Amino acid sequence: MLNSVAAGRRQAGRAIAWQVAATLLVALAFLWQGLHGSVAALVGGGAVVLAGWLSARIALGGGIDAAVPALARLVAAVLAKWLVLVAVLALGVLAFGLPPLPMLAAAVVVLLAQVVSLALGK
């Protein structure tokens, strides 16, 4: 076995820390649009962080298991991640009237921060 569950949890924690930092930086960058743009960036980045945290809890929550239950947890984690992300972004735009550009920009930057953190973690 090349990668343990504990190593996966450490990697997920590191990725979430990078995502939180990226969220704060994007929110700071969108302050030029005013408080509304910055809050929208916080919601967009926070949606990705929340979805990633939930996904990690689902995927890594069962410990070591057979192939079928482990794969089922991974599929459920991916579905939950995208469902939470889309729901929070839609709620931010439709219910709270936040501007979509800062939300989407933050979501993209935070997802890229996750990729960078996982690439540097090896």
Side-chain angles (χ1 to χ4, degrees):
M1 179 176 233
L2 295 174
N3 199 355
S4 68
V5 175
R9 288 189 182 121
R10 283 192 304 272
Q11 222 174 15
R14 187 172 38 252
I16 289 172
W18 276 70
Q19 288 176 328
V20 168
T23 299
L24 294 175
L25 286 174
V26 173
L28 187 63
F30 271 100
L31 269 176
W32 68 272
Q33 275 192 343
L35 191 60
H36 224 56
S38 185
V39 169
L42 284 174
V43 169
V48 176
V49 172
L50 175 66
W53 175 80
L54 180 65
S55 176
R57 296 287 297 174
I58 292 171
L60 301 171
I64 298 172
D65 210 350
V68 172
L71 183 62
R73 278 197 318 269
L74 287 174
V75 170
V78 169
L79 289 174
K81 179 177 186 170
W82 289 105
L83 180 70
V84 166
L85 181 61
V86 169
V88 171
L89 292 178
L91 186 69
V93 171
L94 299 175
F96 296 115
L98 294 173
L101 180 64
M103 291 176 69
L104 291 176
V108 168
V109 169
V110 171
L111 286 171
L112 287 174
Q114 176 185 2
V115 171
V116 169
S117 73
L118 294 177
L120 294 178
K122 290 187 177 190

